[in-house]
Amino acid sequence: SVDDKGWRMAPFVSVFGKGSKLRPQLFHVYECENILLHGVTFTGSPFWTLHPAFSKNITVRNVTVKRSHPNRIGNDDGSDPDSSQDVLVEGCHFDTVDDNIAIKSGRDNDAWPGTPSQNIIVRNSTFAYAHWGGLVIGSEVGGGVRNVFLENNWMGQVGRALYVKSNTDRGGFVENIHVRNVQVAKADRCIMLESTYNGVKDHPHPTPFRH
């Protein structure tokens, strides 16, 4: 962000520790390029498991993300590409309490105008369990999300197979979402588009969903 004189301001730094009430991601990279994660297992994340932010050219191949305890409650998303581009997730296995994959691009006005998450492919992967969503976009989409391709995947038991969520505080946009050859064994809803997430409606910054 910039101040009123146009000077670039330092990014917000999260401070973790006793009393902070913040939980860290398990694998987090910021403003990085040419990332390859291959053949690694991640388990027991206190928060989002794989979180590339403002990064590009990311390959996640043959990676396993799983719960450390089947009844654990928390935001242990499997992978959260955030304001990142050119992302490939293939041959992976996800088993999480929260979302398996949740694509984001910053929250509300903190991300205006922002860096969109774009050109993201998720293929040939298994989504074994997610209480909320298999492939999720949002709810933080202030910078926009575009060009997401989901193909040749299998979902076991998920709350929503494809879940796009935002509200009228978020702004941004979601566009060009393509889904092909996805098998879902059990879901509360196969496809859900929600524009009033957490009951926020009639505010001045709705998120358009298109294409």
Side-chain angles (χ1 to χ4, degrees):
S1 60
V2 296
D3 64 13
D4 56 1
K5 295 181 180 179
W7 290 92
R8 182 174 178 83
M9 299 170 65
F12 173 78
V13 177
S14 298
V15 178
F16 302 100
K18 185 176 181 180
S20 69
K21 299 182 180 180
L22 294 176
R23 290 168 288 136
Q25 306 95 330
L26 188 54
F27 178 89
H28 174 66
V29 292
Y30 183 84
E31 290 187 345
C32 294
E33 297 183 19
N34 306 324
I35 301 164
L36 172 63
L37 288 175
H38 180 85
V40 185
T41 295
F42 296 88
T43 185
S45 178
F47 193 51
W48 301 340
T49 305
L50 310 178
H51 183 219
F54 296 94
S55 298
K56 61 184 179 180
N57 193 18
I58 303 160
T59 299
V60 182
R61 179 179 292 126
N62 298 335
V63 165
T64 296
V65 178
K66 61 182 180 179
R67 297 170 284 170
S68 58
H69 191 283
N71 297 319
R72 179 177 177 269
I73 298 174
N75 305 105
D76 63 337
D77 296 354
S79 180
D80 289 44
D82 193 349
S83 296
S84 295
Q85 63 185 37
D86 303 330
V87 179
L88 172 63
V89 177
E90 68 174 356
C92 294
H93 178 83
F94 297 96
D95 180 2
T96 61
V97 175
D98 207 335
D99 302 322
N100 291 150
I101 293 179
I103 301 169
K104 303 177 182 294
S105 63
R107 181 169 180 168
D108 304 352
N109 59 324
D110 284 344
W112 305 341
T115 301
S117 280
Q118 60 186 357
N119 308 333
I120 298 173
I121 299 173
V122 181
R123 66 189 183 195
N124 304 324
S125 294
T126 299
F127 299 69
Y129 179 87
H131 180 75
W132 292 110
L135 190 283
V136 179
I137 298 173
S139 67
E140 301 89 345
V141 292
V145 175
R146 65 161 67 98
N147 305 339
V148 177
F149 299 84
L150 180 68
E151 64 175 358
N152 301 331
N153 298 287
W154 181 86
M155 298 188 182
Q157 181 177 346
V158 295
R160 298 135 177 95
L162 174 63
Y163 185 18
V164 181
K165 56 182 178 178
S166 187
N167 62 40
T168 56
D169 278 338
R170 297 289 192 243
F173 58 86
V174 176
E175 64 185 15
N176 304 336
I177 311 302
H178 306 266
V179 180
R180 177 172 59 193
N181 191 29
V182 174
Q183 299 182 27
V184 181
K186 183 178 181 180
D188 297 335
R189 299 172 178 86
C190 280
I191 299 174
M192 183 175 180
L193 309 180
E194 184 175 10
S195 59
T196 58
Y197 182 67
N198 276 345
V200 178
K201 58 183 179 179
D202 301 326
H203 289 195
H205 304 290
T207 304
F209 300 159
R210 53 187 176 242
H211 310 314

